[in-house]
Amino acid sequence: MNKYIERLYNGLWKENPTFVLMLGMCPTLAVTTSAINGIGMGLSTTVVLVLSNMMISALRNIIPDRVRMPAFIVVVASFVTIVQFLMEGFTPSLYESLGIYIPLIVVNCIILGRAESYASKNPIIPSMFDGIGMGLGFTVGLTLIGMVREILGNGSLFGATITPLNNFHISLFGLAPGAFFVLGGLVAIMNVIRKKMEEKGKPLPAAQGCLAGDCSGCTLSSACKGKSASEAVESLGKGEDK
Amino acid sequence: MSNLLKVSSSPHVRAKDDTSRIMLYVILALMPTTIFGVVNFGLRALLLVIVCVLTCVASEYLFEKAVGKKSTIKDFSAAVTGLLLGLNLPYTLPVWQAVLGSIFAIVVVKMLFGGLGQNFMNPALGGRAFLVISFAATMTHFEYDGVSGATPLQLLKNGDTVNTLDMLIGRTGGTIGETSALCILIGAIILILLGVIDLLIPGVYILSFVAFITLFGGHGFDTTYIVAHLCGGGLMLGAFFMATDYVTSPITPAGKVVFGICLGVLTGLFRIFGNSAEGVSFAIIFSNLLVPLIERVTIPRAFGIVREKKTKEVKANE
């Protein structure tokens, strides 16, 4: 598979930040009250992610290892500020409804995670595609959650009222508990599809982080203890079966 | 050979109680309340209760079928959940909302956590909480004799006078099963006589609640006020039928006392300082979540065992 397409596939499906990596949960749960909010949040994060990935990748040989985190934060924060001003100017209603979660993109785990585990080790163009893939994966995740919550909680989709459904809306799904229920439900559906694919003989996506041959940014590194990716996945799979 | 000489390992004497029998006792004990609710509110109340029971049983059956588990609907626990949920609804609630609440109670609160014995909160109250949050308007709309009005507790909160005799008998607005303290007490006596529940949790609950409203209710030890608070709302139903749920209440005697005090204080807090007039269901749900912690600190010491030091416990856990 083409290297760039592979990065897109990786972000959208294999290591989808919302449903597989479970990163950026704070905006995922908080802003997805409607589909349009999900798209807005996802796309603004994508823009920041692509730009910061490229910038960090370009600066990867200049940034000293010791201060890389503050340096990443400065880069990300600059882009977030630009995006914030642009949104305030051109999409004021979206800016209003996303509120504090736009500045909080700075500390979004996905952006720092990609900077740390991919962009700081790879050339500019793959980093850009990595950002696009991850960003679109995040956008798709947020939009799906937003759509389900908007239909169930408000009886509408993208702001348009769905006539029979709007009499049967369940307010809970517009509130915080609903976000957890919908996220859990979608992750369960995704896992079922993965399992089906695995049974059909398609290989199961390997555990995150191990493919890049780097364990520093991986939360599972203590569990797999430096074993190879396939071994680590196997041991994880066994653990789940129990 | 006679049975007397047969050699076998213990247990030698088995009680005839099992889950389904206990659940049947609970259903029996709830009958006075249910019948009174139907007489009080009319056939629509009966319809809601039946819909809740049927939906609960059906969703338990379908869920277990879908995930390939053995069906447990014959232990009647789903029926009890449905009955309790139905009694916790205002009789004017739209049927589809009752259906959703029942499905939520069984599938999300009970089955997703592993079924009977594994649920972390009372399924009926979980379903009720889901409905109160989702459909606040219809869940807090109470009618009595075709006239919509405030429940006695709301009147009490606003400082109006209430008729405590009506509240005791149940001739007031409210949810289907909560209005008649008398019928609930009859059911509670049945359960206590049958040995299904003991008085510890409800007793401590009610006593600590009385202590709380005496101290903070602003009326001092005013018998009318206290009786009105005890008969009003879901306190009696909650204390005898939901706080005593085996799964979601502590099993240690000291834990039961702590649990009861938690319930009493929380109910008082919600009723007197909270926004809404009623707080029994949320008090019970919240205390349900504390049960594992309460049990952890109240495990009695076995005879002859010296209490281990904390450092050792940490090692044992590792």
Side-chain angles (χ1 to χ4, degrees):
Chain A
M1 202 189 292
N2 184 309
K3 199 166 120 195
Y4 304 130
I5 309 264
E6 192 270 334
R7 287 328 295 166
L8 293 182
Y9 171 73
N10 185 59
L12 274 169
W13 177 254
K14 206 164 78 178
E15 287 185 21
N16 186 298
T18 308
F19 297 132
V20 180
L21 298 185
M22 296 279 174
L23 289 177
M25 282 296 114
C26 176
T28 303
L29 295 169
V31 303
T32 52
T33 47
S34 68
I36 204 79
N37 278 2
I39 288 191
M41 186 69 207
L43 287 183
S44 41
T45 309
T46 307
V47 171
V48 175
L49 184 55
V50 172
L51 292 175
S52 67
N53 258 11
M54 288 166 73
M55 180 66 92
I56 286 163
S57 173
L59 297 173
R60 68 184 188 279
N61 294 325
I62 304 170
I63 297 173
D65 210 33
R66 273 186 179 177
V67 292
R68 63 184 197 283
M69 277 296 163
F72 294 165
I73 294 272
V74 170
V75 171
V76 178
S78 320
F79 287 120
V80 169
T81 313
I82 297 171
V83 168
Q84 189 185 353
F85 284 149
L86 287 175
M87 286 180 78
E88 195 173 0
F90 293 102
T91 56
S93 64
L94 190 62
Y95 177 80
E96 285 285 308
S97 60
L98 294 183
I100 183 69
Y101 292 98
I102 301 173
L104 280 180
I105 295 175
V106 177
V107 286
N108 191 316
C109 303
I110 303 169
I111 298 179
L112 279 183
R114 292 329 284 176
E116 170 76 15
S117 67
Y118 196 88
S120 63
K121 299 183 186 68
N122 288 286
I124 296 177
I125 302 296
S127 297
M128 184 182 87
F129 276 93
D130 184 71
I132 295 174
M134 280 287 159
L136 288 183
F138 189 58
T139 310
V140 169
L142 259 61
T143 312
L144 273 179
I145 297 176
M147 280 164 67
V148 176
R149 286 182 69 189
E150 195 179 344
I151 292 174
L152 290 177
N154 205 25
S156 63
L157 189 57
F158 292 104
T161 311
I162 304 171
T163 307
L165 276 177
N166 59 353
N167 296 324
F168 297 97
H169 63 87
I170 308 163
S171 326
L172 183 92
F173 285 101
L175 303 170
F180 284 97
F181 287 134
V182 173
L183 177 68
L186 289 177
V187 170
I189 292 172
M190 181 130 171
N191 284 345
V192 168
I193 298 174
R194 269 165 193 278
K195 221 173 169 183
K196 287 264 164 68
M197 280 171 66
E198 189 191 5
E199 281 163 6
K200 271 183 191 165
K202 284 193 182 176
L204 184 77
Q208 314 88 39
C210 300
L211 286 181
D214 166 50
C215 287
S216 62
C218 176
T219 49
L220 302 171
S221 56
S222 62
C224 73
K225 298 200 174 68
K227 277 183 276 182
S228 76
S230 58
E231 273 176 336
V233 174
E234 239 184 86
S235 63
L236 277 178
K238 277 176 194 161
E240 278 168 12
D241 286 344
K242 283 172 196 166
Chain B
M1 201 186 347
S2 97
N3 257 344
L4 205 64
L5 298 173
K6 205 165 121 188
V7 179
S8 68
S9 60
S10 59
H12 303 289
V13 182
R14 290 171 193 273
K16 59 186 191 312
D17 288 344
D18 55 13
T19 310
S20 57
R21 182 179 288 268
I22 287 175
M23 292 298 166
L24 275 179
Y25 286 159
V26 175
I27 293 176
L28 175 76
L30 279 171
M31 274 308 122
T33 313
T34 316
I35 292 165
F36 182 85
V38 174
V39 173
N40 203 18
F41 293 111
L43 283 177
R44 181 124 211 304
L46 185 65
L47 172 77
L48 268 192
V49 171
I50 290 175
V51 162
C52 282
V53 172
L54 290 182
T55 317
C56 278
V57 174
S59 49
E60 177 152 325
Y61 177 77
L62 290 176
F63 184 89
E64 280 169 336
K65 193 148 194 158
V67 299
K69 274 188 169 181
K70 213 172 136 242
S71 172
T72 54
I73 53 168
K74 279 186 189 150
D75 67 13
F76 296 112
S77 62
V80 169
T81 297
L83 186 57
L84 280 174
L85 180 63
L87 295 178
N88 265 296
L89 306 173
Y91 82 102
T92 48
L93 193 80
V95 172
W96 65 272
Q97 294 181 356
V99 170
L100 276 181
S102 309
I103 294 174
F104 184 88
I106 291 295
V107 174
V108 177
V109 183
K110 187 176 171 194
M111 299 318 289
L112 284 186
F113 288 86
L116 184 68
Q118 310 291 329
N119 46 302
F120 67 108
M121 64 164 70
N122 189 309
L125 285 180
R128 181 186 145 83
F130 168 79
L131 289 174
V132 169
I133 294 170
S134 294
F135 312 111
T138 47
M139 277 298 285
T140 53
H141 173 81
F142 296 109
E143 277 180 23
Y144 186 63
D145 272 348
V147 183
S148 57
T151 61
L153 270 188
Q154 286 162 334
L155 293 174
L156 208 62
K157 196 171 171 98
N158 298 339
D160 297 337
T161 52
V162 289
N163 184 339
T164 43
L165 185 65
D166 274 352
M167 290 173 76
L168 187 68
I169 299 171
R171 291 184 303 217
T172 60
T175 68
I176 295 169
E178 75 179 8
T179 54
S180 173
L182 202 62
C183 290
I184 296 166
L185 283 175
I186 293 172
I189 291 168
I190 296 176
L191 282 189
I192 292 167
L193 290 180
L194 288 170
V196 176
I197 61 171
D198 70 60
L199 254 178
L200 194 53
I201 291 174
V204 175
Y205 182 5
I206 290 169
L207 284 181
S208 55
F209 176 71
V210 168
F212 188 92
I213 57 168
T214 309
L215 288 174
F216 300 105
H219 290 250
F221 194 77
D222 176 355
T223 338
T224 326
Y225 181 74
I226 290 172
V227 169
H229 255 298
L230 288 181
C231 297
L235 184 80
M236 287 293 166
L237 191 63
F240 288 104
F241 287 94
M242 290 184 279
T244 52
D245 178 8
Y246 291 158
V247 182
T248 53
S249 63
I251 53 170
T252 59
K256 287 182 180 179
V257 175
V258 177
F259 184 65
I261 293 172
C262 280
L263 289 168
V265 170
L266 282 172
T267 308
L269 268 177
F270 291 149
R271 279 197 181 175
I272 290 166
F273 299 110
N275 279 330
S276 96
E278 176 58 306
V280 171
S281 54
F282 284 106
I284 297 178
I285 288 179
F286 189 82
S287 305
N288 283 164
L289 302 181
L290 296 178
V291 166
L293 296 174
I294 295 174
E295 283 186 333
R296 214 184 135 112
V297 295
T298 55
I299 289 178
R301 193 154 46 97
F303 180 71
I305 303 278
V306 183
R307 196 176 288 267
E308 284 181 63
K309 283 186 179 157
K310 280 220 165 155
T311 47
K312 276 186 183 172
E313 274 177 17
V314 174
K315 271 186 186 169
N317 285 343
E318 283 174 20

